[in-house]
Amino acid sequence: MMTAGSAALLAAACPPPAGAAYKPVGFPGSTWGSLGRDMSGFEGYGAQAWVQQGVEWFRLPYGVKPKTFGAYRWRARTENGKYYDCNGPAVTVELTKSFVDVGVDFAWQRFPGLQRNDDRYEIYAAWYKSVDLSSRTSAGRSLGLGVAGLPLTFWGRLSHDINGFEGDGAQGWVKQGMEWLTLPAGFVVKAQAAYQWRLRSQERLYYNVHGPALGVELSRPGIDIGVEHVWRNYPDLRRDERTFQLYANWYYAWDFSRL
C-alpha cells in the first residue's frame, strides 16, 4: 500500500500544469529479467527481474524528462541467498537526460532469508550507454577477421539508502563485444569480455562480488542467451570462484501513449 508520504512525494515532484487540456507526454513502461545457473553451485540457480509502468509528465529545458514510476522487483537464488534474496513494490520519481537517470525511490522490501521487511527511501543515479567502435562496414576489412561489430557497453548504478539498512551501493558492468555472425531472425553471435561488480556498505555477506568474465552470446534486440567463464571475488567471504555461468536475459519497453 502506498503511504501518505510517498504519495505526497509523487505529487510534489511532478505537479501537472494547470488547465483542463493538459495531457502527460507519455506512459512509458518496461520489463527486464535475468535467469542464470552458476555451474560451481555456490550461487546455484538465480532469477531477478522487474516490471514498471510510469508517466512522463512534461519536458524541461535541455531535454530533461520528469517521470514517475510504479514497479515490482525481485531477485532470488537457490544457494547462499540470505543477504541477496529480496522482493517488493516501489514508487520512483526520476529525472532523465540522455543516458543518465537520477531519482528518489521508495520501496517496500522483503528479505526472506533475513526474515525482515524494510521500507526505505533511496537516492540513486544510473546510466546505460552502448557505442559500436567499428563502422560495421569497415571493421571486417580493418581487422581481417570478418568482424561485424565491436559494441562497447556500460551500465551502472550508484545509490544511497537513507534508512541505512543497505547503506551506499554501487553495481554495474562494462562489456566489450565482438560480433562475428548474423543469423536468421536478427540473432547475432558475439564473443565478449566483461567486468562486473555488485557492492554495498551494509548487509554485505554473500552480496558483494566483483570480477571479470569471458563469454559467448547469442543476442538480438531484447534477448541475450549465453555462457561465460567468470572470476568472482567475494571480499567479505575472502573467497574466489572460477566457474561457468549460463544465462538468459530479456528487456522489453513500451509506451501506452503510442498504441
Side-chain angles (χ1 to χ4, degrees):
M1 179 182 296
M2 184 181 294
T3 66
S6 59
L9 174 65
L10 293 177
C14 295
Y22 169 75
K23 289 180 61 177
V25 174
F27 297 93
S30 60
T31 181
W32 170 86
S34 179
L35 303 175
R37 168 63 168 135
D38 169 18
M39 302 305 291
S40 74
F42 184 69
E43 295 187 355
Y45 293 93
Q48 55 180 318
W50 48 253
V51 58
Q52 61 183 21
Q53 179 58 54
V55 179
E56 183 181 337
W57 294 98
F58 45 86
R59 298 285 173 85
L60 295 175
Y62 305 106
V64 177
K65 304 174 184 178
K67 294 179 284 187
T68 55
F69 287 96
Y72 193 90
R73 308 168 186 144
W74 67 95
R75 64 174 184 258
R77 63 192 190 204
T78 57
E79 303 294 335
N80 295 311
K82 183 177 181 180
Y83 293 86
Y84 178 84
D85 294 359
C86 178
N87 60 76
V91 292
T92 301
V93 178
E94 184 176 272
L95 296 176
T96 298
K97 178 175 172 55
S98 184
F99 59 92
V100 178
D101 304 317
V102 178
V104 179
D105 189 71
F106 184 84
W108 296 262
Q109 295 184 122
R110 178 175 175 266
F111 295 84
L114 297 173
Q115 297 184 341
R116 171 171 180 159
N117 295 326
D118 182 55
D119 300 342
R120 62 138 175 88
Y121 281 102
E122 181 182 78
I123 303 169
Y124 69 90
W127 59 92
Y128 175 83
K129 182 71 171 179
S130 183
V131 179
D132 192 342
L133 300 183
S134 76
S135 65
R136 285 190 169 268
T137 57
S138 63
R141 299 191 192 98
S142 62
L143 296 178
L145 297 173
V147 174
L150 297 169
L152 176 63
T153 310
F154 305 85
W155 174 80
R157 191 176 192 272
L158 302 175
S159 61
H160 173 68
D161 176 8
I162 296 175
N163 293 357
F165 179 64
E166 295 185 353
D168 298 315
Q171 56 181 314
W173 43 253
V174 55
K175 298 180 180 179
Q176 177 61 67
M178 184 174 290
E179 297 178 350
W180 293 100
L181 180 65
T182 300
L183 301 177
F187 281 96
V188 175
V189 179
K190 177 171 57 177
Q192 64 183 8
Y195 196 92
Q196 306 165 75
W197 63 93
R198 184 181 70 231
L199 304 166
R200 66 190 187 201
S201 60
Q202 303 295 327
E203 304 297 339
R204 304 176 303 193
L205 200 64
Y206 295 108
Y207 180 88
N208 286 5
V209 64
H210 64 92
L214 291 172
V216 179
E217 185 175 274
L218 182 66
S219 66
R220 60 170 294 177
I223 301 174
D224 303 313
I225 302 169
V227 58
E228 57 186 359
H229 189 262
V230 295
W231 293 261
R232 291 182 176 136
N233 175 259
Y234 296 85
D236 292 278
L237 295 173
R238 297 183 179 178
R239 180 185 180 110
D240 290 307
E241 284 281 325
R242 294 189 180 186
T243 184
F244 283 95
Q245 171 94 6
L246 306 176
Y247 65 88
N249 304 329
W250 70 88
Y251 176 79
Y252 180 73
W254 61 86
D255 190 332
F256 286 135
S257 66
R258 300 174 183 173
L259 298 180

